[in-house]
Amino acid sequence: MLEHLGSAHTSEELFPLVAAARQRLAPLQDELDFLPSAAASRSVTITGRRSIALWGSLRRVHTDLGFEVLADDAFAQLVLARVIKPTSKAGSIRKLDALGIPHAGLRSVFRCSARFRAEDYRSEISQLCFENARVDGNLTLVLYDVTILCFEAEHEDGLREVGFSEECRVDPRIVVGLLTDRAGFPLGLTCWKGDRTETLTMLPKVMDFLARHDLRDLVVAADAGALSAANLTALDGAGLKFIVGSRQVKAPIDLESHFHWRGDAFEGGRIIDTITSRPLPGAAAAAKPFRIRVFVMNLSGARRFIRGRGGRSGRVPGSGLSGTPATWRR
C-alpha cells in the first residue's frame, strides 16, 4: 500500500475515493511510446483490418493444389470466399470486404463465371485433383454420393427443374454428384437437371472417370439409393467391384430369403455369402448365378474397427472387402 486516502461506509463515499486513487496512480505508471512524441492525443484510430492469417492459409492451399495455373484471380477470390462462407456472388464480395481482402468488383466476378463455363475450368480442376490424389492417396476405392440444391425460383429453366423430393418440396432444384477418393478428397463433380433421379447419375460419372484417366480396376462405394440393380449389373459387366452401404433394416432382395429362413440377428463382423440370379444380356432368358458377399458390422463393431486402424479405412480381415465400415457388398 502506497498511501491511505480515507475510509468509506457507503457506495457514495467510496466512488470519489476510488477516483482519487486512480489519479494518484496514473503518474506512477510507465507507458510504452508507441506514438510519435508530437502526437497531442493518446487515442488511436483504426483505419482498417485484414484477416491475413486466414487468407494466407487458403491461398497457400490453393497454390499447393496447382489451381494457380488457371491464372484467374477473380475466380480464386470467389472460390476461397465461398470456402469461408458459402453464399451468393454478391455475398462473397461482402465477405471479402468484411475480411479486409482486396478483391475484384462484382461485375468482374460475373464475367469470371462466364469464363468458367466457356473455358471449361471444371475439367482442368478435376485433372489437377486427380493428379494430387494419385500422388498422395490410393485410387483403388472411390466414393460417390449426390446432394440436392433447391432454389427459390418461380420458373424452371432447363437445369433447375422440379423433381422428386423426400421433403415434398416443389421448388426447382439441381442434382449435384460428387466422386471422391477414400479420404474424401474430391475427384470429380457433375451437375444434373433437377428431375433426374439419383440412380441415373452414378454410372455415367464413374464410367467417364474411368475413361478420362484410363483406369481399369476400381471399387465403387455408394449408398443403396445410387447403386440400383441396373447399376450393379453394369459395374459388374465392366469388371468393377462395388460396395453398397445400407442399414440392416433395409435388406437387399438377395438377403430377404436368408433373413426369412435364418433370421436377421447377427453378431458384428459376420460374413454371409448369397447366390443371386443375374439375367444374361441378349435373347437368352437363362440366368447366371453370381455370389454376393455381405459383411455385417454393428455400430460398436464399426467404432472398434475405426479405432483399431487409427481412424483410417482399410481391409476387413478375412472378408475380401475394403473400404470404410458399414454394410459392405461385393
Side-chain angles (χ1 to χ4, degrees):
M1 184 176 65
L2 300 178
E3 182 179 353
H4 178 70
L5 298 180
S7 300
H9 300 281
T10 64
S11 57
E12 290 77 8
E13 296 176 352
L14 179 62
F15 180 77
L17 293 177
V18 172
R22 288 175 177 171
Q23 292 178 357
R24 295 287 184 91
L25 290 174
L28 302 178
Q29 303 299 316
D30 294 332
E31 296 183 1
L32 298 176
D33 190 12
F34 289 121
L35 300 176
S37 57
S41 175
R42 294 294 182 182
S43 64
V44 178
T45 302
I46 299 176
T47 60
R49 57 184 180 178
R50 182 178 301 178
S51 300
I52 298 176
L54 172 62
W55 191 252
S57 299
L58 293 175
R59 288 305 299 235
R60 281 194 297 272
V61 173
H62 187 270
T63 302
D64 292 343
L65 292 175
F67 295 160
E68 294 292 347
V69 72
L70 298 174
D72 193 333
D73 201 46
F75 174 74
Q77 292 170 358
L78 178 63
V79 170
L80 298 182
R82 286 177 167 176
V83 171
I84 299 172
K85 181 181 180 181
T87 183
S88 64
K89 298 180 181 68
S92 299
I93 296 298
R94 290 192 293 270
K95 187 62 181 179
L96 292 175
D97 285 333
L99 295 174
I101 304 300
H103 58 79
L106 183 58
R107 303 310 306 177
S108 297
V109 172
F110 287 146
R111 289 191 292 270
C112 156
S113 299
R115 288 195 303 273
F116 173 83
R117 293 189 295 269
E119 301 180 18
D120 195 15
Y121 282 11
R122 183 182 298 175
S123 296
E124 194 165 356
I125 291 173
S126 297
Q127 181 63 35
L128 292 170
C129 289
F130 173 78
E131 293 173 357
N132 281 280
R134 183 173 56 181
V135 172
D136 299 332
N138 187 345
L139 289 178
T140 58
L141 173 71
V142 295
L143 314 176
Y144 180 81
D145 202 0
V146 300
T147 188
I148 306 298
L149 301 180
C150 295
F151 298 86
E152 294 181 354
E154 296 183 1
H155 306 289
E156 301 170 314
D157 58 9
L159 176 62
R160 294 178 293 184
E161 300 282 343
V162 176
F164 171 76
S165 172
E166 295 179 352
E167 302 173 352
C168 299
R169 299 187 61 171
V170 295
D171 299 318
R173 64 178 198 164
I174 62 173
V175 180
V176 180
L178 179 64
L179 193 70
T180 73
D181 66 3
R182 67 176 61 206
F185 187 79
L187 299 173
L189 181 73
T190 308
C191 180
W192 308 90
K193 293 174 58 175
D195 58 357
R196 196 176 184 93
T197 61
E198 181 179 348
T199 56
L200 298 179
T201 65
M202 189 274 297
L203 196 60
K205 182 59 186 176
V206 171
M207 293 306 179
D208 177 72
F209 178 75
L210 292 174
R212 184 186 298 271
H213 303 296
D214 193 26
L215 299 176
R216 295 291 181 268
D217 188 19
L218 198 67
V219 179
V220 180
D223 60 22
L227 289 176
S228 61
N231 287 342
L232 295 179
T233 302
L235 291 176
D236 185 68
L240 303 177
K241 299 180 178 65
F242 53 84
I243 300 174
V244 182
S246 180
R247 295 189 299 273
Q248 186 174 317
V249 295
K250 296 173 59 179
I253 296 176
D254 47 274
L255 287 179
E256 286 184 357
S257 176
H258 182 92
F259 287 173
H260 176 74
W261 294 106
R262 302 189 182 183
D264 58 1
F266 300 102
E267 297 178 356
R270 181 174 178 182
I271 299 173
I272 303 171
D273 286 328
T274 65
I275 301 297
T276 302
S277 296
R278 178 184 60 189
L280 291 174
K288 177 184 177 182
F290 70 107
R291 173 164 292 181
I292 293 180
R293 173 164 290 187
V294 180
F295 184 80
V296 182
M297 179 175 285
N298 55 29
L299 182 59
S300 59
R303 289 171 176 167
R304 289 195 300 270
F305 178 81
I306 295 175
R307 287 197 297 267
R309 294 196 53 81
R312 305 185 304 273
S313 60
R315 191 173 185 83
V316 181
S319 67
L321 302 172
S322 60
T324 54
T327 300
W328 281 282
R329 293 180 62 194
R330 185 185 64 180

